[in-house]
Amino acid sequence: MTVEQQDCVALDQFPVGMRVLAVDDDQTCLRILESLLHRCQYHVTTTNQAQKALELLRENKNKFDLVISDVDMPDMDGFKLLELVGLEMDLPVIMLSAHSDPKYVMKGVTHGACDYLLKPVRIEELKNIWQHVVRKNRGSNNGDKKDGSGNEGVANSDQNNGRANRKRKDQYNEDEDEERDDNDDPSSQKKPRVVWTVELHKKFVAAVNQLGFEKAMPKKILDLMNVEKLTRENVASHLQKFRLYLKRISGNQQAIMANSDLHFLQMSNGLDGFHHRPIPVGTGQFHGGAAAAGMRPFPPNGILGRLNTPSGMSGVRNLSSSPSSGMFLQNPTDLGKFHHVSSLPLNHIDGGNILQGLPMPLEFDQLQTNNNKSIIAGNSMAFPSFPTQQQSSLPNNNNHLVLEGHPQAPPSAFPGHQINKRLEHWSNAVSSSSSTLPPPGQNSNSLISHQFDASSSSYSIPFCDSTIPLNPALDHTNPRAFYRATDMDSSANVQPGVYYDSLQMRKSGNYGPTTDAMLSSNNPKEGFTVGQQKLQSGFMGGEAGSLDDIVNSTMKQEQSQGDLSEGDLGYGGFSSLRTCI
Amino acid sequence: MELVQMQKSLQDYTKSLFLDGVLDSQFLQLQQLQDESNPDFVSQVVTLFFQDSDRILNDLSLSLDQQVVDFKKVDPHVHQLKGSSSSIGAQRVKNACVVFRSFCEQQNVEGCHRCLQQVKKEYYLVKNRLETLFKLEQQIVASGGMIPAMELGF
């Protein structure tokens, strides 16, 4: 586990000296923004290229505290950048745009932006952006985004969507309330970030599995994991993310059989408000335990499309051998058996951030009750799109199975799949609300191996249940984000009367805090496309190689992620992934 | 011309730009950002704006002159111009861009042509006025005077 130390100098004088990276292809706006930020006493780095920004960020993850990015940039969509930054670096990102259209703002929210500012930016708005840094740090260290708000968010989402989840959530919330240590010094506190590597996540999952998904409590998980320097808060936060992630993936009523540590980790580490879900079944280790132990059998049908045919998928394959949780393509009849669809190598962790967000199979009970629900190969869903070069190296067994599974997948209703509508093939499966899998080959991701396509097409991840506010902080705690006009009067810079035009303009772009309803309604659309995309590219379909290899190659190809996914399946979906939380 | 007179002229001139709606309060923000550590900020930014805008207007003309207008290309340009003009406070240019975009959405070529003309008109106007403004400022500075701060609340 790596713990990153914050820059002590910045800490001391925070928010003075906060390090901001400003990205805007328009040099006029960039120059103005730079000056405004300097005026706020921040330390500013500017670039007019999104790619360059990513390089700067990747070069040293601790070099910046906050990113402000324009939405419309020629070399990369601002939302894509937003997602990447959130995933890889877990930095707060503020979107900037001349678009006051609510749907853009919404997109910003769903993609995980901390805030959305309208051009022309005023200095008053920039003076408070440091709050996002604080908020993020508190959230990642406390287990919920902001004291109370995370739970609130979870509560809301659950109330709206997840009947089955409520119990668990309540339990979790109670757990959190009992055990949570309050952050005594919130305003200037910057705790080192815990990076949830694949190994760490595996341990986490194993611990959760051991304890039982519903019974897993941060303290116990922590004890079981026995990792130095990991705090209960870290675990609690991760657990919350995990649960929400699983919930999101599976929809309200289903659990994902996905056994993708990678994916989950990818998502959770990067995403705001990403709540963990304990995944009962995930890794090979787990698998053995789960299948054997009476953990609620994880209906192979799993969550998302039924990829595996009964014949092919039965039994656990490679579970013991693959360190990472591959996807589970479940055979409806083989409860408790997991077909390890993708054994992405977990061993290689590139920077420790690769294997994030591997979805672990969710709620067993859900799975159990929904035998007809199609399960999507977890890995395909879970893994963020890793354009892996090793695709060919992965055995196609699972893919094969997956493919076979398609036609045979029972047309099970797939509640909550609306989330994935955006996914091309996946969305077909989903929106049709049947487990009938669309024929393979609809994969829009050229990087995805053919086999993978097949599986992914059947892979429907009810990704965002969406009642969960994307960013509870954003939602509840920062209504200001949407009310830009409030500062107008206070500014001495503002001429009274005549010159409020620009302010008026800004006002028009204000919306109330995004409601859960909004979030939920949009999340399904967003689906998990990017994640899917990534999964697709990274998913070798089946047992293939090791998760690590795939992750590795995926990470190597991060750069090309921009190329990797285009259109809806690309980052759009990914971003929604974030927001779903 | 006396220094005081020049300063007065500058002030009146600037005021007129605001009153005419050519510039809005955003321009004032820019002026506020100019200080000892950043002495030529406004003129630098405005120069950047002119460069970008010249290029964009050029691209727009080319795009709209095509046999088949690709609105997917036209719109981002207009959007960018809208963003930059609003950032420096060129209010009328920005407003013209807003109208322009709505015609783009409707894919109305004729309308877009008209809008482009309007945008250009407003752009050259503000360019002209700002260049005059800067000249006045330079004259004052050259005469050893200080640029008077803009009076608020007139």
Side-chain angles (χ1 to χ4, degrees):
Chain A
M1 165 176 94
T2 46
V3 171
E4 299 169 356
Q5 297 299 325
Q6 295 291 338
D7 183 355
C8 293
V9 172
L11 252 182
D12 294 344
Q13 305 163 350
F14 190 83
V16 170
M18 184 176 79
R19 299 154 307 169
V20 181
L21 175 64
V23 190
D24 192 339
D25 64 311
D26 183 335
Q27 53 173 346
T28 310
C29 298
L30 191 61
R31 183 83 176 80
I32 296 176
L33 183 61
E34 184 185 21
S35 283
L36 288 170
L37 291 169
H38 272 134
R39 191 49 80 87
C40 296
Q41 295 184 289
Y42 302 139
H43 181 270
V44 188
T45 307
T46 60
T47 172
N48 61 0
Q49 286 172 8
Q51 278 298 337
K52 186 82 179 85
L54 271 179
E55 281 169 28
L56 285 171
L57 288 166
R58 283 173 181 155
E59 195 184 317
N60 180 353
K61 299 207 168 148
N62 265 335
K63 225 168 137 186
F64 298 102
D65 298 310
L66 179 79
V67 179
I68 298 185
S69 168
D70 185 34
V71 165
D72 309 285
M73 293 188 286
D75 66 331
M76 186 192 289
D77 180 24
F79 294 118
K80 266 191 208 177
L81 177 65
L82 163 60
E83 282 176 347
L84 284 176
V85 172
L87 271 182
E88 294 180 29
M89 294 111 204
D90 194 23
L91 285 177
V93 181
I94 294 179
M95 302 310 292
L96 194 58
S97 178
H99 283 298
S100 59
D101 190 343
K103 75 170 188 264
Y104 281 88
V105 181
M106 188 54 176
K107 204 169 172 193
V109 172
T110 55
H111 285 54
C114 293
D115 208 343
Y116 189 104
L117 303 181
L118 291 180
K119 287 182 182 175
V121 180
R122 298 188 63 82
I123 199 167
E124 297 80 16
E125 295 164 357
L126 294 177
K127 284 206 169 125
N128 283 337
I129 57 176
W130 57 267
Q131 65 180 290
H132 301 294
V133 177
V134 172
R135 194 173 289 128
K136 205 176 227 308
N137 284 337
R138 293 189 70 205
S140 63
N141 288 325
N142 275 350
D144 41 21
K145 255 331 191 166
K146 224 177 144 158
D147 294 344
S149 67
N151 287 340
E152 212 177 311
V154 173
N156 287 342
S157 62
D158 279 355
Q159 280 160 17
N160 292 341
N161 288 340
R163 301 156 285 275
N165 294 339
R166 195 167 302 155
K167 183 172 153 204
R168 193 177 27 257
K169 169 196 70 82
D170 289 343
Q171 187 180 9
Y172 175 70
N173 285 344
E174 285 169 18
D175 178 29
E176 280 300 286
D177 289 340
E178 288 164 10
E179 299 183 348
R180 174 176 32 165
D181 303 323
D182 282 344
N183 193 348
D184 289 332
D185 187 13
S187 58
S188 60
Q189 184 154 23
K190 282 190 181 182
K191 290 185 180 163
R193 294 195 187 114
V194 169
V195 175
W196 280 88
T197 64
V198 176
E199 298 297 332
L200 195 62
H201 182 70
K202 271 162 54 182
K203 279 192 186 165
F204 169 81
V205 170
V208 168
N209 291 336
Q210 204 173 325
L211 291 170
F213 181 75
E214 297 219 344
K215 297 215 171 76
M217 312 262 254
K219 188 90 182 101
K220 295 182 187 154
I221 298 173
L222 182 67
D223 292 338
L224 276 178
M225 284 175 69
N226 193 24
V227 173
E228 259 187 43
K229 288 195 189 171
L230 191 64
T231 69
R232 194 204 68 84
E233 286 77 18
N234 298 137
V235 174
S237 161
H238 196 71
L239 180 64
Q240 189 177 19
K241 285 186 188 178
F242 194 55
R243 279 179 173 153
L244 284 177
Y245 170 76
L246 288 180
K247 180 171 143 188
R248 199 161 21 112
I249 293 180
S250 69
N252 300 329
Q253 299 155 16
Q254 299 168 6
I256 300 176
M257 289 296 294
N259 189 13
S260 333
D261 295 315
L262 263 183
H263 180 70
F264 170 71
L265 287 177
Q266 178 87 25
M267 296 199 316
S268 65
N269 278 355
L271 304 178
D272 265 351
F274 194 103
H275 300 282
H276 297 227
R277 281 179 151 229
I279 296 181
V281 178
T283 58
Q285 319 159 343
F286 173 74
H287 170 73
M295 282 183 89
R296 299 224 218 128
F298 189 45
N301 302 339
I303 306 169
L304 302 177
R306 231 168 250 195
L307 295 178
N308 303 326
T309 58
S311 58
M313 302 307 295
S314 65
V316 178
R317 294 173 54 171
N318 285 347
L319 282 180
S320 50
S321 57
S322 22
S324 75
S325 40
M327 295 190 2
F328 287 129
L329 298 183
Q330 300 305 326
N331 178 339
T333 62
D334 284 344
L335 291 186
K337 290 185 182 173
F338 308 99
H339 181 73
H340 200 113
V341 174
S342 69
S343 337
L344 295 182
L346 285 176
N347 300 327
H348 305 294
I349 297 175
D350 191 2
N353 285 334
I354 302 176
L355 301 180
Q356 299 174 352
L358 289 182
M360 300 295 280
L362 272 182
E363 295 91 354
F364 281 171
D365 4 339
Q366 289 179 348
L367 290 175
Q368 238 177 347
T369 54
N370 294 320
N371 274 340
N372 286 334
K373 309 267 161 90
S374 46
I375 297 178
I376 295 179
N379 281 342
S380 60
M381 285 194 294
F383 287 113
S385 55
F386 291 142
T388 176
Q389 294 152 348
Q390 298 179 4
Q391 287 186 358
S392 55
S393 67
L394 290 177
N396 295 330
N397 297 343
N398 290 344
N399 278 342
H400 181 63
L401 288 173
V402 172
L403 287 173
E404 287 174 355
H406 291 181
Q408 302 181 20
S412 55
F414 203 10
H417 293 335
Q418 61 280 12
I419 294 171
N420 292 323
K421 276 183 186 147
R422 274 181 60 178
L423 299 178
E424 289 182 9
H425 28 270
W426 291 346
S427 60
N428 289 342
V430 175
S431 54
S432 66
S433 73
S434 77
S435 63
T436 311
L437 300 171
Q442 294 181 13
N443 182 10
S444 64
N445 184 353
S446 56
L447 290 184
I448 300 175
S449 64
H450 176 71
Q451 298 149 343
F452 186 80
D453 291 352
S455 56
S456 55
S457 59
S458 58
Y459 180 80
S460 51
I461 303 176
F463 190 65
C464 299
D465 285 343
S466 68
T467 49
I468 305 172
L470 294 177
N471 180 347
L474 182 66
D475 191 22
H476 301 285
T477 63
N478 189 24
R480 284 192 72 225
F482 298 101
Y483 291 107
R484 291 286 141 215
T486 54
D487 289 335
M488 293 193 288
D489 296 337
S490 60
S491 165
N493 291 340
V494 174
Q495 289 268 2
V498 181
Y499 310 115
Y500 271 180
D501 295 351
S502 58
L503 300 172
Q504 294 302 327
M505 178 184 86
R506 202 165 305 118
K507 255 188 184 153
S508 65
N510 292 335
Y511 314 102
T514 52
T515 61
D516 290 348
M518 278 169 77
L519 288 172
S520 51
S521 63
N522 280 310
N523 284 340
K525 299 293 190 276
E526 302 284 349
F528 191 0
T529 54
V530 171
Q532 308 287 355
Q533 184 92 30
K534 283 186 172 183
L535 279 177
Q536 291 177 0
S537 55
F539 180 62
M540 300 315 304
E543 310 156 314
S546 54
L547 192 58
D548 293 20
D549 291 339
I550 292 186
V551 170
N552 240 0
S553 53
T554 305
M555 288 312 288
K556 282 184 203 146
Q557 297 189 19
E558 268 177 12
Q559 296 288 340
S560 58
Q561 273 174 353
D563 312 323
L564 171 63
S565 55
E566 289 186 4
D568 289 347
L569 262 188
Y571 292 98
F574 204 100
S575 58
S576 63
L577 202 159
R578 287 181 62 133
T579 56
C580 288
I581 304 178
Chain B
M1 197 194 288
E2 271 191 43
L3 186 60
V4 173
Q5 244 179 318
M6 284 197 283
Q7 287 169 331
K8 180 86 173 51
S9 292
L10 175 64
Q11 275 189 324
D12 290 343
Y13 190 71
T14 312
K15 244 189 236 189
S16 73
L17 294 183
F18 284 105
L19 290 174
D20 288 344
V22 175
L23 292 178
D24 62 23
S25 59
Q26 192 62 24
F27 188 75
L28 285 179
Q29 275 231 333
L30 293 194
Q31 290 186 320
Q32 305 256 343
L33 285 175
Q34 182 162 298
D35 57 17
E36 304 79 31
S37 66
N38 214 352
D40 297 316
F41 177 66
V42 182
S43 64
Q44 280 173 5
V45 172
V46 171
T47 306
L48 287 175
F49 171 66
F50 290 158
Q51 283 174 4
D52 282 346
S53 304
D54 286 336
R55 182 182 42 85
I56 291 176
L57 288 173
N58 212 18
D59 290 344
L60 278 173
S61 297
L62 285 173
S63 295
L64 283 182
D65 280 341
Q66 300 294 315
Q67 280 270 338
V68 179
V69 175
D70 184 358
F71 288 101
K72 293 222 172 70
K73 282 212 183 114
V74 172
D75 189 71
H77 283 318
V78 182
H79 175 71
Q80 188 182 344
L81 186 58
K82 175 186 161 202
S84 52
S85 58
S86 67
S87 294
I88 68 146
Q91 186 177 255
R92 305 226 291 230
V93 176
K94 180 205 73 180
N95 290 341
C97 288
V98 172
V99 179
F100 197 153
R101 290 197 76 217
S102 67
F103 278 104
C104 276
E105 269 174 51
Q106 299 165 25
Q107 309 228 337
N108 181 337
V109 178
E110 180 56 37
C112 283
H113 271 289
R114 285 199 305 266
C115 283
L116 178 60
Q117 295 316 309
Q118 185 66 19
V119 169
K120 280 184 174 172
K121 180 175 151 220
E122 296 297 347
Y123 169 69
Y124 291 127
L125 181 84
V126 72
K127 185 171 183 187
N128 187 283
R129 300 280 170 94
L130 284 173
E131 283 172 345
T132 306
L133 190 100
F134 292 139
K135 278 209 190 88
L136 284 175
E137 285 185 351
Q138 281 162 13
Q139 281 173 359
I140 291 175
V141 170
S143 304
M146 298 266 301
I147 314 266
M150 273 308 303
E151 289 169 9
L152 305 182
F154 52 80

